[in-house]
Each structure stands twice: as structure tokens, then as C-alpha cells.
Amino acid sequence: MSARDRLTDALYGLGWGTVKKLPEPVAVRLGRTIADLAWKQRGKGVKRLESNYARVVPDASPERLAELSRAGMRSYLRYWMESFRLPAWSPERIRNGFDPKDVHHLTDGLASDQGVILALPHLGNWDLAGAWVTTKLETPFTTVAERLKPETLYDRFVAYREGLGMEVLPHSGGTAFGTLARRLRDGGLVCLVSDRDLSASGVEVDFFGATARMPAGPALLAQQTGALLLPVTLWYDDSPVMQGRVHPPIEVPESGTRAEKTSVMTQALADAFASGIAEHPEDWHMLQRLWLDNLEPRPSAAGARDGERP
């Protein structure tokens, strides 16, 4: 393991070991302080975040974009502070920490035993939403995580999410899709963060007026298993409670090839994501390149990615 990898692993370990012990008001202030310092340094993540917000709010002035990127960094650090502390939250705190709207789409789907796929963008804190599902709804689910480097850091994230009641599969290796399909055929729940393609086989979509690539997996799983595909959007307000919405199911088109159906369904997913992001752009934690006209050529399917949120 390189010195950089050891440092990265140690910093995350420090976060989980120390931040979760802090009183909540102290953790909130610490997160805001770190966010403001990072924002003032104008690193590549902050600049990319601001550039992405310019796509979402095209009429925004430079001053407005700066305000958005500052709020975005504060939202991003709120995600991390909450995530570091989630293992120490009581079940009651988790149940009261998220207030989703239209959750009947999810509960009705679970009751039908046909399987449900929840697809989310990098909005708010999907780990908290997942912990709410396993705690409030008492429903376990399966998800996929990118295999991070160093391996010890990936192991930390897997252990963290498994501790919240999630089954975590590695993104690489080629077996995740089959396992997800089996879980859905058994009437289970699958949750996937789906606004950024991590492979070379994503589906091109129109996203805020330009072309981006999003993963085909959610649409393909819905077609192959008959499971419901439900977009979910999340956001923060001024309270300690995260807000969210479960959107209506995305239907499988009655005609067309599998590729054509996948394209239509993934575009519908992108449109649902865009509606939530447009309403709460500061809670979209996209600190990476997304649109095709910003992407650099990939050295390989497993090439390095800058600043990926696990």
C-alpha cells in the first residue's frame, strides 16, 4: 500500500472513529467549517461542482454560482458528518431523521412481492435513506459499491453499510447483476446510485440540455425481472431531518428492442433525477465530470476517477 493510500485509509478511519463520538451540534459546526475551508481553496472538486451547477442553473451569475458551490460543499460535508455518525445513531434517531414523500410507491411495491429497484442520484445522503429503509420499514436490501483503493478503504465502506443492514456487492467482477436479479425475483429490494456511469456501456441521455451517460443496470433489471423501477430524490432543508420523494414507477415500454426500451427508461430516470436536482441543486454532490463534452478519454474501463464519492 502506498503512503497516499495509507493516509487516505487513516483519514477515513479517523472520521468513523472520532466524528461519531462528537455531540451532534459540534459535528455540524465541524462539517461546515471544513466545507468553507475547502470552498475557499477552490480546488478541482469545487471548480467542477460549480461547473456542473452552471449546467443545472444556466442563467446563474458568477456570484450565484459561487453561492451555490459554497452551499453545495456544506451539503456534501453534511453527508460525510452524518455518515460518520450513522453507526452511533439510535434506531429512533434514524427513523426520525428522514421524511420521504409518496413512500407508498415503495411500500405498495414491496407488498406486491414483485421486487423493487430504487434508483437515486448523488443527492442528499442515500446512506441515511438506506438506514431508514432497514430500520423504519424493517426491509433489508442489496446495493453495489465501487471497489475503492486501497482495499482496506473499500472494506471499511462495506463493513459500514453492512452494519446499517445493507447487502453490499462489488461493482467490478461481473457477478453483481446476476445476484441483483435473483434478489428481485425473490421479491427483494435493490438500491442503486444511478446518475453517473462507471463503465463503458452506459446509456446516453439528455440531461439539462446536454448529453450524459447513465448506467443501464436499473432499466435492464426491471425488464429482466419484472421489478418496479422507482426513482428517488433527496434533499436537505434547514432542519436536522432529510427530505425525500419516491417518484412513480417507470414503466417498461410495450414495444421496441431491449436496447430501445433501456434507452427510453433510462431517459425517464434521468428526467426524474433532473426534477429533483433542479429544485435542490446545492444538494447534488457531483464533484466529477459528468457530461460527455467534459469527459476525457478513458484509459480503460477501470481507469482512475477523480474524487468519486463511494
Side-chain angles (χ1 to χ4, degrees):
M1 186 188 300
S2 69
R4 179 178 179 181
D5 285 347
R6 286 196 298 271
L7 176 61
T8 300
D9 184 59
L11 288 174
Y12 279 100
L14 180 65
W16 270 302
T18 303
V19 173
K20 71 180 180 181
K21 299 177 182 177
L22 296 175
E24 188 159 345
V26 175
V28 170
R29 288 196 298 271
L30 176 62
R32 180 163 291 199
T33 299
I34 295 172
D36 288 349
L37 287 173
W39 178 77
K40 289 177 181 177
Q41 290 178 354
R42 301 286 298 169
K44 67 178 183 179
V46 173
K47 291 179 180 178
R48 176 53 52 192
L49 183 67
E50 206 164 283
S51 175
N52 289 339
Y53 286 160
R55 302 266 195 171
V56 176
V57 191
D59 297 331
S61 65
E63 294 77 16
R64 172 59 177 151
L65 288 176
E67 291 174 359
L68 274 176
S69 65
R70 184 177 188 180
M73 290 304 296
R74 288 182 171 184
S75 176
Y76 186 47
L77 264 294
R78 177 172 172 175
Y79 159 80
W80 281 112
M81 292 296 114
E82 286 180 347
S83 294
F84 287 143
R85 291 173 52 76
L86 264 176
W89 281 17
S90 68
E92 181 181 8
R93 177 69 178 88
I94 292 173
R95 286 192 292 266
N96 295 330
F98 180 41
D99 182 24
K101 312 298 185 293
D102 299 327
V103 74
H104 65 89
H105 293 303
L106 170 58
T107 54
D108 290 350
L110 292 173
S112 73
D113 289 329
Q114 69 181 106
V116 177
I117 306 158
L118 296 180
L120 307 88
H122 286 81
L123 269 172
N125 186 342
W126 86 272
D127 285 323
L128 172 55
W132 183 89
V133 168
T134 61
T135 304
K136 175 75 172 181
L137 301 185
E138 299 181 342
T139 302
F141 65 86
T142 304
T143 188
V144 174
E146 180 188 4
R147 189 173 287 282
L148 303 170
K149 291 185 178 181
E151 191 75 14
T152 52
L153 179 58
Y154 172 77
D155 292 340
R156 285 186 188 274
F157 272 100
V158 170
Y160 155 65
R161 286 174 175 150
E162 287 179 343
L164 298 175
M166 311 176 193
E167 178 188 22
V168 183
L169 307 176
H171 181 271
S172 59
T175 61
F177 187 92
T179 303
L180 294 173
R182 287 193 296 273
R183 299 292 183 269
L184 292 168
R185 290 193 184 100
D186 290 338
L189 176 64
V190 164
C191 300
L192 301 170
V193 180
S194 307
D195 58 341
R196 184 167 182 257
D197 179 51
L198 294 178
S199 72
S201 58
V203 178
E204 291 189 4
V205 296
D206 180 85
F207 197 55
F208 291 103
T211 303
R213 189 182 291 118
M214 293 188 181
L220 288 172
L221 283 167
Q223 293 175 61
Q224 186 163 316
T225 68
L228 284 180
L229 175 54
L230 302 176
V232 177
T233 52
L234 310 170
W235 67 92
Y236 292 123
D237 56 17
D238 294 330
S239 77
V241 179
M242 185 174 69
Q243 306 298 312
R245 174 168 289 106
V246 182
H247 296 253
I250 292 176
E251 303 291 341
V252 177
E254 294 182 358
S255 61
T257 65
R258 185 172 72 167
E260 289 168 344
K261 292 178 180 179
T262 301
S263 178
V264 170
M265 295 174 71
T266 306
Q267 182 63 62
L269 201 60
D271 292 343
F273 292 167
S275 69
I277 293 167
E279 291 178 358
H280 308 280
E282 68 278 3
D283 292 321
W284 188 40
H285 308 149
M286 185 55 66
L287 282 73
Q288 302 84 25
R289 301 173 190 270
L290 179 71
W291 283 273
L292 298 192
D293 56 10
N294 283 333
L295 291 179
E296 297 173 347
R298 297 170 185 250
S300 69
R305 289 172 287 272
D306 55 320
E308 178 67 26
R309 165 173 155 186

